[in-house]
Amino acid sequence: MHSRKTIVRPAARSDAAALTDISFRAKAYWGYSDEFMRLCTNELTVTAHDIESPDFLYYVAESSSGTIGFYSLAVLTKTEYELDAMYIDPDYIGQGIGKTLIQHARVTSRGKGIECLTIQSDPNAEAFYKAMGATKIGERESASVGGRMLPLLTLRCQSDEDGASSVR
């Protein structure tokens, strides 16, 4: 059993390798082929430059055992953000870490004046995002795998159910 105490904090450049490791292991969790994983290398790699870029906001979920997940927001404009990435260590999938990160992303975005987040989802994660209140608005072609269409969703940041009082 893993510790239930999870904190979410801004990522530091020193987190890049751990976040990359989590993103690759989380994507592989869904049984994708080695070739597919190779095609996704660029999107799954997190660099110190990415973490420090003003175009992204990275946040890390930690428990007593270390880094267990993260998300990043792409800052598209002053009024438009996209959930660029969200990955959970496979050992922690199903333990509420995703919900904690989505709640944090909502509160963070709302604090920046953002009303809705756009989410380009892996097909395996679409049901999770819908359970968190997202609505499907279409599809978008994958930047990594040509011809692969991915669910495109929107998630309101103004929600009474986002657990704002419990997110730090």
Side-chain angles (χ1 to χ4, degrees):
M1 192 65 156
H2 299 292
S3 169
R4 291 241 175 242
K5 179 71 174 159
T6 302
I7 63 160
V8 179
R9 63 164 175 82
R13 65 181 292 118
S14 59
D15 292 316
L19 302 189
T20 297
D21 179 62
I22 288 172
S23 66
F24 274 91
R25 289 189 300 109
K27 184 65 97 174
Y29 172 85
W30 298 108
Y32 289 117
S33 70
D34 290 344
E35 174 62 14
F36 179 90
M37 294 296 294
R38 186 189 63 73
L39 291 171
C40 295
T41 297
N42 285 344
E43 81 177 66
L44 296 174
T45 301
V46 178
T47 67
H49 175 76
D50 294 334
I51 291 170
E52 293 182 333
S53 171
D55 297 332
F56 296 95
L57 301 172
Y58 277 84
Y59 291 90
V60 175
E62 289 184 332
S63 73
S64 59
S65 59
T67 301
I68 57 174
F70 75 97
Y71 76 90
S72 67
L73 298 172
V75 179
L76 305 178
T77 69
K78 287 184 179 185
T79 59
E80 186 180 11
Y81 284 14
E82 183 167 334
L83 184 68
D84 184 62
M86 189 174 90
Y87 294 102
I88 311 303
D89 181 310
D91 291 341
Y92 291 83
I93 290 175
Q95 295 187 30
I97 306 307
K99 182 177 182 179
T100 296
L101 289 175
I102 284 294
Q103 290 169 344
H104 192 276
R106 277 182 150 158
V107 171
T108 298
S109 299
R110 186 172 58 231
K112 305 276 187 184
I114 305 300
E115 293 182 15
C116 293
L117 285 174
T118 302
I119 303 168
Q120 177 182 289
S121 175
D122 183 284
N124 294 297
E126 182 178 4
F128 165 77
Y129 290 120
K130 285 181 174 178
M132 294 295 103
T135 304
K136 188 170 182 177
I137 57 173
E139 293 182 322
R140 183 190 292 162
E141 186 173 6
S142 167
S144 298
V145 182
R148 181 175 191 241
M149 299 306 290
L150 299 172
L152 193 63
L153 304 110
T154 187
L155 180 67
R156 286 183 38 80
C157 295
Q158 309 295 333
S159 171
D160 294 333
E161 300 174 8
D162 66 10
S165 62
S166 65
V167 177
R168 292 181 190 142

PDB file of all heavy atoms in Angstrom, residues 4-34:
ATOM      1  N   ARG A   4      -0.951   7.719   1.370  1.00  0.00           N
ATOM      2  CA  ARG A   4      -2.072   8.493   0.843  1.00  0.00           C
ATOM      3  C   ARG A   4      -1.766   9.991   0.799  1.00  0.00           C
ATOM      4  O   ARG A   4      -2.480  10.740   0.172  1.00  0.00           O
ATOM      5  CB  ARG A   4      -3.306   8.247   1.688  1.00  0.00           C
ATOM      6  CG  ARG A   4      -3.829   6.855   1.535  1.00  0.00           C
ATOM      7  CD  ARG A   4      -5.216   6.929   0.984  1.00  0.00           C
ATOM      8  NE  ARG A   4      -5.723   5.610   0.710  1.00  0.00           N
ATOM      9  CZ  ARG A   4      -6.061   5.204  -0.510  1.00  0.00           C
ATOM     10  NH1 ARG A   4      -5.907   5.988  -1.532  1.00  0.00           N
ATOM     11  NH2 ARG A   4      -6.557   4.014  -0.689  1.00  0.00           N
ATOM     12  N   LYS A   5      -0.742  10.421   1.500  1.00  0.00           N
ATOM     13  CA  LYS A   5      -0.399  11.843   1.546  1.00  0.00           C
ATOM     14  C   LYS A   5       0.316  12.243   0.262  1.00  0.00           C
ATOM     15  O   LYS A   5       1.414  11.775  -0.012  1.00  0.00           O
ATOM     16  CB  LYS A   5       0.492  12.116   2.767  1.00  0.00           C
ATOM     17  CG  LYS A   5       0.911  13.551   2.899  1.00  0.00           C
ATOM     18  CD  LYS A   5      -0.251  14.425   3.293  1.00  0.00           C
ATOM     19  CE  LYS A   5       0.241  15.828   3.546  1.00  0.00           C
ATOM     20  NZ  LYS A   5      -0.813  16.796   3.442  1.00  0.00           N
ATOM     21  N   THR A   6      -0.340  13.068  -0.527  1.00  0.00           N
ATOM     22  CA  THR A   6       0.233  13.539  -1.783  1.00  0.00           C
ATOM     23  C   THR A   6       0.285  15.056  -1.752  1.00  0.00           C
ATOM     24  O   THR A   6      -0.687  15.704  -1.382  1.00  0.00           O
ATOM     25  CB  THR A   6      -0.634  13.085  -2.978  1.00  0.00           C
ATOM     26  OG1 THR A   6      -0.719  11.658  -2.971  1.00  0.00           O
ATOM     27  CG2 THR A   6      -0.040  13.551  -4.290  1.00  0.00           C
ATOM     28  N   ILE A   7       1.418  15.595  -2.142  1.00  0.00           N
ATOM     29  CA  ILE A   7       1.526  17.037  -2.309  1.00  0.00           C
ATOM     30  C   ILE A   7       1.768  17.329  -3.784  1.00  0.00           C
ATOM     31  O   ILE A   7       2.301  16.494  -4.512  1.00  0.00           O
ATOM     32  CB  ILE A   7       2.651  17.654  -1.449  1.00  0.00           C
ATOM     33  CG1 ILE A   7       4.027  17.119  -1.864  1.00  0.00           C
ATOM     34  CG2 ILE A   7       2.404  17.419   0.027  1.00  0.00           C
ATOM     35  CD1 ILE A   7       5.159  17.998  -1.428  1.00  0.00           C
ATOM     36  N   VAL A   8       1.347  18.498  -4.216  1.00  0.00           N
ATOM     37  CA  VAL A   8       1.588  18.948  -5.583  1.00  0.00           C
ATOM     38  C   VAL A   8       2.378  20.241  -5.478  1.00  0.00           C
ATOM     39  O   VAL A   8       1.998  21.145  -4.736  1.00  0.00           O
ATOM     40  CB  VAL A   8       0.272  19.166  -6.356  1.00  0.00           C
ATOM     41  CG1 VAL A   8       0.556  19.659  -7.773  1.00  0.00           C
ATOM     42  CG2 VAL A   8      -0.552  17.877  -6.389  1.00  0.00           C
ATOM     43  N   ARG A   9       3.504  20.281  -6.199  1.00  0.00           N
ATOM     44  CA  ARG A   9       4.383  21.450  -6.145  1.00  0.00           C
ATOM     45  C   ARG A   9       4.849  21.794  -7.559  1.00  0.00           C
ATOM     46  O   ARG A   9       4.825  20.953  -8.455  1.00  0.00           O
ATOM     47  CB  ARG A   9       5.589  21.146  -5.264  1.00  0.00           C
ATOM     48  CG  ARG A   9       6.446  20.017  -5.818  1.00  0.00           C
ATOM     49  CD  ARG A   9       7.834  19.961  -5.189  1.00  0.00           C
ATOM     50  NE  ARG A   9       8.586  18.817  -5.643  1.00  0.00           N
ATOM     51  CZ  ARG A   9       9.258  18.748  -6.792  1.00  0.00           C
ATOM     52  NH1 ARG A   9       9.271  19.769  -7.627  1.00  0.00           N
ATOM     53  NH2 ARG A   9       9.927  17.653  -7.114  1.00  0.00           N
ATOM     54  N   PRO A  10       5.301  23.027  -7.767  1.00  0.00           N
ATOM     55  CA  PRO A  10       5.874  23.369  -9.066  1.00  0.00           C
ATOM     56  C   PRO A  10       7.111  22.503  -9.344  1.00  0.00           C
ATOM     57  O   PRO A  10       7.886  22.200  -8.430  1.00  0.00           O
ATOM     58  CB  PRO A  10       6.272  24.846  -8.920  1.00  0.00           C
ATOM     59  CG  PRO A  10       5.429  25.356  -7.794  1.00  0.00           C
ATOM     60  CD  PRO A  10       5.247  24.187  -6.860  1.00  0.00           C
ATOM     61  N   ALA A  11       7.279  22.111 -10.588  1.00  0.00           N
ATOM     62  CA  ALA A  11       8.445  21.316 -10.971  1.00  0.00           C
ATOM     63  C   ALA A  11       9.690  22.189 -10.993  1.00  0.00           C
ATOM     64  O   ALA A  11       9.621  23.401 -11.235  1.00  0.00           O
ATOM     65  CB  ALA A  11       8.230  20.696 -12.352  1.00  0.00           C
ATOM     66  N   ALA A  12      10.815  21.561 -10.734  1.00  0.00           N
ATOM     67  CA  ALA A  12      12.130  22.211 -10.832  1.00  0.00           C
ATOM     68  C   ALA A  12      12.892  21.553 -11.986  1.00  0.00           C
ATOM     69  O   ALA A  12      12.605  20.413 -12.359  1.00  0.00           O
ATOM     70  CB  ALA A  12      12.901  22.017  -9.521  1.00  0.00           C
ATOM     71  N   ARG A  13      13.871  22.241 -12.509  1.00  0.00           N
ATOM     72  CA  ARG A  13      14.634  21.699 -13.636  1.00  0.00           C
ATOM     73  C   ARG A  13      15.233  20.338 -13.290  1.00  0.00           C
ATOM     74  O   ARG A  13      15.366  19.486 -14.148  1.00  0.00           O
ATOM     75  CB  ARG A  13      15.675  22.688 -14.145  1.00  0.00           C
ATOM     76  CG  ARG A  13      16.781  23.023 -13.161  1.00  0.00           C
ATOM     77  CD  ARG A  13      17.805  24.041 -13.694  1.00  0.00           C
ATOM     78  NE  ARG A  13      18.590  23.463 -14.760  1.00  0.00           N
ATOM     79  CZ  ARG A  13      18.622  23.912 -16.012  1.00  0.00           C
ATOM     80  NH1 ARG A  13      17.931  24.968 -16.361  1.00  0.00           N
ATOM     81  NH2 ARG A  13      19.356  23.316 -16.928  1.00  0.00           N
ATOM     82  N   SER A  14      15.540  20.109 -12.030  1.00  0.00           N
ATOM     83  CA  SER A  14      16.115  18.833 -11.605  1.00  0.00           C
ATOM     84  C   SER A  14      15.110  17.681 -11.665  1.00  0.00           C
ATOM     85  O   SER A  14      15.499  16.515 -11.538  1.00  0.00           O
ATOM     86  CB  SER A  14      16.676  18.954 -10.184  1.00  0.00           C
ATOM     87  OG  SER A  14      15.645  19.326  -9.287  1.00  0.00           O
ATOM     88  N   ASP A  15      13.827  17.976 -11.893  1.00  0.00           N
ATOM     89  CA  ASP A  15      12.795  16.943 -12.006  1.00  0.00           C
ATOM     90  C   ASP A  15      12.705  16.345 -13.410  1.00  0.00           C
ATOM     91  O   ASP A  15      12.005  15.351 -13.608  1.00  0.00           O
ATOM     92  CB  ASP A  15      11.412  17.519 -11.662  1.00  0.00           C
ATOM     93  CG  ASP A  15      11.256  17.886 -10.212  1.00  0.00           C
ATOM     94  OD1 ASP A  15      11.677  17.083  -9.355  1.00  0.00           O
ATOM     95  OD2 ASP A  15      10.702  18.976  -9.938  1.00  0.00           O
ATOM     96  N   ALA A  16      13.369  16.919 -14.388  1.00  0.00           N
ATOM     97  CA  ALA A  16      13.176  16.529 -15.793  1.00  0.00           C
ATOM     98  C   ALA A  16      13.344  15.031 -16.036  1.00  0.00           C
ATOM     99  O   ALA A  16      12.495  14.399 -16.685  1.00  0.00           O
ATOM    100  CB  ALA A  16      14.100  17.332 -16.705  1.00  0.00           C
ATOM    101  N   ALA A  17      14.401  14.430 -15.540  1.00  0.00           N
ATOM    102  CA  ALA A  17      14.637  13.001 -15.786  1.00  0.00           C
ATOM    103  C   ALA A  17      13.542  12.139 -15.162  1.00  0.00           C
ATOM    104  O   ALA A  17      13.047  11.190 -15.786  1.00  0.00           O
ATOM    105  CB  ALA A  17      16.009  12.583 -15.269  1.00  0.00           C
ATOM    106  N   ALA A  18      13.131  12.464 -13.938  1.00  0.00           N
ATOM    107  CA  ALA A  18      12.081  11.693 -13.277  1.00  0.00           C
ATOM    108  C   ALA A  18      10.752  11.819 -14.016  1.00  0.00           C
ATOM    109  O   ALA A  18      10.021  10.831 -14.168  1.00  0.00           O
ATOM    110  CB  ALA A  18      11.922  12.140 -11.825  1.00  0.00           C
ATOM    111  N   LEU A  19      10.440  13.014 -14.506  1.00  0.00           N
ATOM    112  CA  LEU A  19       9.188  13.217 -15.230  1.00  0.00           C
ATOM    113  C   LEU A  19       9.209  12.472 -16.565  1.00  0.00           C
ATOM    114  O   LEU A  19       8.195  11.882 -16.970  1.00  0.00           O
ATOM    115  CB  LEU A  19       8.916  14.704 -15.439  1.00  0.00           C
ATOM    116  CG  LEU A  19       8.838  15.554 -14.166  1.00  0.00           C
ATOM    117  CD1 LEU A  19       8.359  16.963 -14.486  1.00  0.00           C
ATOM    118  CD2 LEU A  19       7.997  14.913 -13.097  1.00  0.00           C
ATOM    119  N   THR A  20      10.343  12.488 -17.238  1.00  0.00           N
ATOM    120  CA  THR A  20      10.479  11.727 -18.482  1.00  0.00           C
ATOM    121  C   THR A  20      10.277  10.240 -18.223  1.00  0.00           C
ATOM    122  O   THR A  20       9.554   9.555 -18.950  1.00  0.00           O
ATOM    123  CB  THR A  20      11.852  11.985 -19.131  1.00  0.00           C
ATOM    124  OG1 THR A  20      11.938  13.378 -19.478  1.00  0.00           O
ATOM    125  CG2 THR A  20      12.064  11.136 -20.371  1.00  0.00           C
ATOM    126  N   ASP A  21      10.881   9.731 -17.176  1.00  0.00           N
ATOM    127  CA  ASP A  21      10.734   8.319 -16.822  1.00  0.00           C
ATOM    128  C   ASP A  21       9.267   7.972 -16.578  1.00  0.00           C
ATOM    129  O   ASP A  21       8.757   6.969 -17.095  1.00  0.00           O
ATOM    130  CB  ASP A  21      11.578   8.006 -15.586  1.00  0.00           C
ATOM    131  CG  ASP A  21      11.434   6.557 -15.151  1.00  0.00           C
ATOM    132  OD1 ASP A  21      11.796   5.658 -15.935  1.00  0.00           O
ATOM    133  OD2 ASP A  21      10.940   6.327 -14.025  1.00  0.00           O
ATOM    134  N   ILE A  22       8.579   8.804 -15.819  1.00  0.00           N
ATOM    135  CA  ILE A  22       7.162   8.555 -15.529  1.00  0.00           C
ATOM    136  C   ILE A  22       6.343   8.602 -16.818  1.00  0.00           C
ATOM    137  O   ILE A  22       5.472   7.751 -17.028  1.00  0.00           O
ATOM    138  CB  ILE A  22       6.622   9.549 -14.485  1.00  0.00           C
ATOM    139  CG1 ILE A  22       7.195   9.201 -13.111  1.00  0.00           C
ATOM    140  CG2 ILE A  22       5.095   9.552 -14.460  1.00  0.00           C
ATOM    141  CD1 ILE A  22       6.887  10.228 -12.032  1.00  0.00           C
ATOM    142  N   SER A  23       6.595   9.567 -17.685  1.00  0.00           N
ATOM    143  CA  SER A  23       5.783   9.679 -18.902  1.00  0.00           C
ATOM    144  C   SER A  23       5.948   8.448 -19.787  1.00  0.00           C
ATOM    145  O   SER A  23       4.960   7.921 -20.315  1.00  0.00           O
ATOM    146  CB  SER A  23       6.076  10.969 -19.662  1.00  0.00           C
ATOM    147  OG  SER A  23       7.384  10.988 -20.169  1.00  0.00           O
ATOM    148  N   PHE A  24       7.170   7.953 -19.934  1.00  0.00           N
ATOM    149  CA  PHE A  24       7.385   6.752 -20.752  1.00  0.00           C
ATOM    150  C   PHE A  24       6.727   5.523 -20.124  1.00  0.00           C
ATOM    151  O   PHE A  24       6.065   4.741 -20.813  1.00  0.00           O
ATOM    152  CB  PHE A  24       8.880   6.491 -20.968  1.00  0.00           C
ATOM    153  CG  PHE A  24       9.447   7.230 -22.135  1.00  0.00           C
ATOM    154  CD1 PHE A  24      10.006   8.490 -21.976  1.00  0.00           C
ATOM    155  CD2 PHE A  24       9.434   6.675 -23.412  1.00  0.00           C
ATOM    156  CE1 PHE A  24      10.529   9.181 -23.055  1.00  0.00           C
ATOM    157  CE2 PHE A  24       9.952   7.364 -24.505  1.00  0.00           C
ATOM    158  CZ  PHE A  24      10.506   8.618 -24.322  1.00  0.00           C
ATOM    159  N   ARG A  25       6.888   5.354 -18.818  1.00  0.00           N
ATOM    160  CA  ARG A  25       6.303   4.178 -18.162  1.00  0.00           C
ATOM    161  C   ARG A  25       4.779   4.247 -18.155  1.00  0.00           C
ATOM    162  O   ARG A  25       4.099   3.234 -18.337  1.00  0.00           O
ATOM    163  CB  ARG A  25       6.858   4.014 -16.747  1.00  0.00           C
ATOM    164  CG  ARG A  25       8.318   3.566 -16.765  1.00  0.00           C
ATOM    165  CD  ARG A  25       8.882   3.179 -15.401  1.00  0.00           C
ATOM    166  NE  ARG A  25       8.841   4.263 -14.440  1.00  0.00           N
ATOM    167  CZ  ARG A  25       8.026   4.321 -13.376  1.00  0.00           C
ATOM    168  NH1 ARG A  25       7.220   3.327 -13.109  1.00  0.00           N
ATOM    169  NH2 ARG A  25       8.067   5.350 -12.560  1.00  0.00           N
ATOM    170  N   ALA A  26       4.230   5.450 -17.986  1.00  0.00           N
ATOM    171  CA  ALA A  26       2.775   5.607 -17.978  1.00  0.00           C
ATOM    172  C   ALA A  26       2.192   5.334 -19.368  1.00  0.00           C
ATOM    173  O   ALA A  26       1.147   4.686 -19.487  1.00  0.00           O
ATOM    174  CB  ALA A  26       2.399   7.009 -17.498  1.00  0.00           C
ATOM    175  N   LYS A  27       2.837   5.800 -20.407  1.00  0.00           N
ATOM    176  CA  LYS A  27       2.356   5.552 -21.773  1.00  0.00           C
ATOM    177  C   LYS A  27       2.452   4.060 -22.092  1.00  0.00           C
ATOM    178  O   LYS A  27       1.522   3.458 -22.639  1.00  0.00           O
ATOM    179  CB  LYS A  27       3.153   6.380 -22.771  1.00  0.00           C
ATOM    180  CG  LYS A  27       2.663   6.273 -24.211  1.00  0.00           C
ATOM    181  CD  LYS A  27       1.281   6.834 -24.396  1.00  0.00           C
ATOM    182  CE  LYS A  27       1.313   8.249 -24.902  1.00  0.00           C
ATOM    183  NZ  LYS A  27      -0.049   8.744 -25.224  1.00  0.00           N
ATOM    184  N   ALA A  28       3.564   3.432 -21.718  1.00  0.00           N
ATOM    185  CA  ALA A  28       3.770   2.003 -21.984  1.00  0.00           C
ATOM    186  C   ALA A  28       2.761   1.138 -21.222  1.00  0.00           C
ATOM    187  O   ALA A  28       2.444   0.023 -21.669  1.00  0.00           O
ATOM    188  CB  ALA A  28       5.197   1.609 -21.623  1.00  0.00           C
ATOM    189  N   TYR A  29       2.251   1.631 -20.115  1.00  0.00           N
ATOM    190  CA  TYR A  29       1.270   0.920 -19.302  1.00  0.00           C
ATOM    191  C   TYR A  29       0.091   0.427 -20.150  1.00  0.00           C
ATOM    192  O   TYR A  29      -0.500  -0.609 -19.871  1.00  0.00           O
ATOM    193  CB  TYR A  29       0.787   1.857 -18.186  1.00  0.00           C
ATOM    194  CG  TYR A  29      -0.370   1.359 -17.367  1.00  0.00           C
ATOM    195  CD1 TYR A  29      -0.157   0.516 -16.280  1.00  0.00           C
ATOM    196  CD2 TYR A  29      -1.673   1.751 -17.644  1.00  0.00           C
ATOM    197  CE1 TYR A  29      -1.223   0.074 -15.500  1.00  0.00           C
ATOM    198  CE2 TYR A  29      -2.743   1.316 -16.883  1.00  0.00           C
ATOM    199  CZ  TYR A  29      -2.509   0.481 -15.802  1.00  0.00           C
ATOM    200  OH  TYR A  29      -3.569   0.044 -15.038  1.00  0.00           O
ATOM    201  N   TRP A  30      -0.243   1.189 -21.206  1.00  0.00           N
ATOM    202  CA  TRP A  30      -1.401   0.872 -22.034  1.00  0.00           C
ATOM    203  C   TRP A  30      -1.086  -0.166 -23.107  1.00  0.00           C
ATOM    204  O   TRP A  30      -1.948  -0.471 -23.933  1.00  0.00           O
ATOM    205  CB  TRP A  30      -1.968   2.146 -22.651  1.00  0.00           C
ATOM    206  CG  TRP A  30      -2.431   3.096 -21.583  1.00  0.00           C
ATOM    207  CD1 TRP A  30      -1.839   4.261 -21.213  1.00  0.00           C
ATOM    208  CD2 TRP A  30      -3.556   2.932 -20.718  1.00  0.00           C
ATOM    209  NE1 TRP A  30      -2.531   4.833 -20.173  1.00  0.00           N
ATOM    210  CE2 TRP A  30      -3.587   4.036 -19.851  1.00  0.00           C
ATOM    211  CE3 TRP A  30      -4.545   1.954 -20.596  1.00  0.00           C
ATOM    212  CZ2 TRP A  30      -4.575   4.183 -18.873  1.00  0.00           C
ATOM    213  CZ3 TRP A  30      -5.516   2.111 -19.621  1.00  0.00           C
ATOM    214  CH2 TRP A  30      -5.527   3.218 -18.776  1.00  0.00           C
ATOM    215  N   GLY A  31       0.119  -0.726 -23.100  1.00  0.00           N
ATOM    216  CA  GLY A  31       0.441  -1.818 -24.010  1.00  0.00           C
ATOM    217  C   GLY A  31       0.819  -1.404 -25.420  1.00  0.00           C
ATOM    218  O   GLY A  31       0.750  -2.223 -26.335  1.00  0.00           O
ATOM    219  N   TYR A  32       1.237  -0.172 -25.592  1.00  0.00           N
ATOM    220  CA  TYR A  32       1.642   0.282 -26.919  1.00  0.00           C
ATOM    221  C   TYR A  32       2.912  -0.445 -27.374  1.00  0.00           C
ATOM    222  O   TYR A  32       3.745  -0.829 -26.552  1.00  0.00           O
ATOM    223  CB  TYR A  32       1.876   1.797 -26.922  1.00  0.00           C
ATOM    224  CG  TYR A  32       0.599   2.603 -26.813  1.00  0.00           C
ATOM    225  CD1 TYR A  32       0.371   3.440 -25.721  1.00  0.00           C
ATOM    226  CD2 TYR A  32      -0.375   2.534 -27.801  1.00  0.00           C
ATOM    227  CE1 TYR A  32      -0.793   4.185 -25.622  1.00  0.00           C
ATOM    228  CE2 TYR A  32      -1.539   3.278 -27.708  1.00  0.00           C
ATOM    229  CZ  TYR A  32      -1.746   4.095 -26.621  1.00  0.00           C
ATOM    230  OH  TYR A  32      -2.899   4.826 -26.523  1.00  0.00           O
ATOM    231  N   SER A  33       3.062  -0.591 -28.675  1.00  0.00           N
ATOM    232  CA  SER A  33       4.218  -1.284 -29.249  1.00  0.00           C
ATOM    233  C   SER A  33       5.493  -0.455 -29.080  1.00  0.00           C
ATOM    234  O   SER A  33       5.445   0.765 -28.860  1.00  0.00           O
ATOM    235  CB  SER A  33       3.987  -1.543 -30.741  1.00  0.00           C
ATOM    236  OG  SER A  33       4.027  -0.312 -31.459  1.00  0.00           O
ATOM    237  N   ASP A  34       6.624  -1.136 -29.218  1.00  0.00           N
ATOM    238  CA  ASP A  34       7.922  -0.443 -29.156  1.00  0.00           C
ATOM    239  C   ASP A  34       8.012   0.622 -30.237  1.00  0.00           C
ATOM    240  O   ASP A  34       8.536   1.715 -30.000  1.00  0.00           O
ATOM    241  CB  ASP A  34       9.074  -1.440 -29.306  1.00  0.00           C
ATOM    242  CG  ASP A  34       9.219  -2.354 -28.099  1.00  0.00           C
ATOM    243  OD1 ASP A  34       8.655  -2.041 -27.029  1.00  0.00           O
ATOM    244  OD2 ASP A  34       9.903  -3.385 -28.233  1.00  0.00           O
TER     245      ASP A  34
END
